[in-house]
Amino acid sequence: MRMVFRWYGEGNDPVPLRHIKQIPGVEGIVWALHDVPAGEVWPLDRIREVKKQADEHGFHIEVVESVNVHEDIKQGLPTRNRYIDNYKQTIRNLSQVGVKVICYNFMPVFDWVRTDLFKELEDGSTALFYEKAKVADMDPKELVAKIAGNPDMTMPGWEPERLKHLSALFDAYKDITEEKLWDNLRYFLEQIVPVAEEHDIRMAIHPDDPPWPIFGLPRIVTGADNLRRLLKLVDSPYNGLTLCSGSLGANPANDIPAMVREFGDRIAFAHIRNIRVYDNGDFIETSHREQDGTVNMTDIVKAYHDIGFSGYVRPDHGRHIFDEQCRPGYGLYDRALGIMYLWGIWDSLAKPRKGDRHAAH
Ligand code: DNO
């Protein structure tokens, strides 16, 4: 596995690259131009700026997360073609600096959703929390008003621009069923994948988080059957997955080690993290250690090891520990601990058995 670390960019992420450099085994940063609105072309000079910053620390920038998909594409509006053309141009621009994977999602309106960004755990740290009943009862406008009124609530992956037009967005999705969303995803992939292929960049869709419909909006990237269907929409290695154990793990029916084994060669990027799911469906993001949550962390890493996974891996949301002031879920300390846990499992599996030692050196 090739370890990478998500970084929100200079002036935008309190974690400096020189600190990321001190985490063992990290070879690249996972990045994005967060200020470019969905649907616009990422300018080459801005892309090159990030490349230069990464180069100064010896990191590659082969993984981008995310190039967001414009809502008109998800809704299948006639205007989608303009945004798809822009997406293709962004792919061409990214290929110029050696990008190999684009992580993206196809969730209507919202990216990931939580009800509490700083819920206290038993050990005094805080973490992202999802209260199922609260979301079921909540008017989405209430959630957005809460976010707009509280800058601390801004979630990574959420674009304030989009959220300003929330009522119109909800109206636009009134007639979009799951099947319609599948059609729109197919249309997008049929257009994009050939360009990605031509530039040797793998598209890697991120599962919906949480993996079920919320606020009456359809969600379709939720489990093994749907992943199977998605990979067949365009049957190319360039139509790939970001397999996120934390997102899929919120539904205990999802067998993630089995997915790793089944979809292995189509997984371009792995997000490996733990969560603890409660009986009522609530969940909280714990440390990466298996015993702290309900995700089979060791089985997942073992599955990747068994298939000889050589794709990119990143730890995911961490707790907020040691009084760190950071973006919710994206502090330095707990993600660094997460990496060491993943390496610990991986290295113990990779360790040559007695007698193999000489052969391995
Ligand atoms: C959450 C992330 C997601 C992910 C997007 C990909 O922390 O994993 O926001 O980046 O869904 O488009």
Side-chain angles (χ1 to χ4, degrees):
M1 58 182 182
R2 303 182 58 187
M3 193 62 74
V4 288
F5 196 83
R6 191 171 197 183
W7 182 64
Y8 280 89
E10 212 126 283
N12 197 24
D13 194 326
V15 181
L17 288 178
R18 65 193 161 80
H19 286 175
I20 300 174
K21 191 72 194 168
Q22 294 166 9
I23 309 170
V26 174
E27 60 174 67
I29 50 162
V30 176
W31 63 285
L33 296 181
H34 291 279
D35 58 329
V36 178
E40 299 306 316
V41 177
W42 289 19
L44 195 50
D45 56 331
R46 296 281 318 281
I47 294 173
R48 290 214 165 102
E49 246 170 58
V50 179
K51 166 99 174 98
K52 187 162 169 275
Q53 291 158 2
D55 279 348
E56 279 162 15
H57 292 84
F59 287 133
H60 67 66
I61 57 164
E62 292 171 14
V63 185
V64 169
E65 176 176 344
S66 317
V67 181
N68 285 326
V69 177
H70 195 274
E71 294 296 328
D72 289 11
I73 299 176
K74 295 180 220 163
Q75 290 165 24
L77 300 182
T79 39
R80 67 181 154 182
N81 292 323
R82 171 172 117 69
Y83 297 117
I84 289 179
D85 285 345
N86 287 349
Y87 209 102
K88 290 178 184 169
Q89 189 54 44
T90 296
I91 293 178
R92 291 186 198 104
N93 289 355
L94 290 173
S95 75
Q96 300 221 15
V97 294
V99 166
K100 294 286 165 219
V101 171
I102 293 176
C103 168
Y104 70 102
N105 74 76
F106 215 74
M107 289 176 250
V109 189
F110 298 101
D111 192 323
W112 54 286
V113 171
R114 299 290 183 273
T115 53
D116 191 344
L117 300 181
F118 299 100
K119 174 96 171 166
E120 196 163 323
L121 282 152
E122 308 76 17
D123 60 9
S125 63
T126 60
L128 305 177
F129 176 66
Y130 185 90
E131 192 178 336
K132 204 166 188 179
K134 197 166 178 181
V135 173
D137 295 343
M138 191 184 263
D139 176 352
K141 285 167 202 145
E142 200 186 301
L143 177 67
V144 171
K146 203 167 148 194
I147 291 166
N150 179 359
D152 287 346
M153 285 285 291
T154 310
M155 303 206 196
W158 287 42
E159 294 155 42
E161 255 327 288
R162 265 200 303 185
L163 299 184
K164 273 192 212 152
H165 310 288
L166 199 72
S167 302
L169 273 174
F170 268 92
D171 286 346
Y173 277 100
K174 259 200 332 259
D175 298 324
I176 304 205
T177 57
E178 282 190 10
E179 281 311 308
K180 188 85 195 105
L181 193 60
W182 276 111
D183 285 347
N184 297 340
L185 176 55
R186 174 200 300 277
Y187 184 94
F188 172 70
L189 288 173
E190 282 174 349
Q191 298 272 324
I192 291 297
V193 172
V195 180
E197 188 158 352
E198 192 186 320
H199 292 89
D200 194 24
I201 293 183
R202 295 176 82 189
M203 295 299 296
I205 199 166
H206 188 284
D208 302 343
D209 186 354
W212 52 75
I214 51 163
F215 304 136
L217 298 164
R219 287 192 154 190
I220 56 177
V221 192
T222 51
D225 290 344
N226 288 1
L227 292 179
R228 219 170 276 130
R229 177 170 177 184
L230 177 128
L231 294 177
K232 281 194 202 121
L233 289 180
V234 174
D235 200 5
S236 154
Y238 291 87
N239 173 27
L241 305 175
T242 296
L243 201 85
C244 176
S245 68
S247 305
L248 292 165
N251 178 356
N254 280 332
D255 180 345
I256 298 156
M259 292 183 197
V260 172
R261 292 177 203 278
E262 178 176 351
F263 305 124
D265 59 344
R266 299 289 284 275
I267 301 173
F269 187 22
H271 288 179
I272 313 184
R273 72 177 154 93
N274 202 353
I275 55 174
R276 185 192 303 154
V277 181
Y278 297 97
D279 291 343
N280 63 1
D282 294 353
F283 62 86
I284 189 154
E285 307 199 355
T286 59
S287 91
H288 283 55
R289 189 172 186 230
E290 175 157 307
Q291 288 82 344
D292 289 341
T294 43
V295 175
N296 302 329
M297 295 292 286
T298 53
D299 292 345
I300 291 171
V301 178
K302 182 163 187 324
Y304 279 114
H305 190 266
D306 286 350
I307 64 165
F309 186 69
S310 58
Y312 304 95
V313 173
R314 75 165 174 83
D316 208 346
H317 304 165
R319 300 164 300 151
H320 318 111
I321 62 173
F322 310 157
D323 298 328
E324 186 179 14
Q325 300 298 314
C326 56
R327 303 180 73 97
Y330 284 96
L332 170 67
Y333 304 139
D334 202 36
R335 286 187 298 154
L337 293 181
I339 287 188
M340 290 312 289
Y341 184 67
L342 299 180
W343 277 137
I345 302 169
W346 184 270
D347 290 349
S348 69
L349 296 168
K351 196 170 175 187
R353 283 176 302 270
K354 246 195 177 145
D356 294 349
R357 193 163 281 277
H358 286 300
H361 279 276

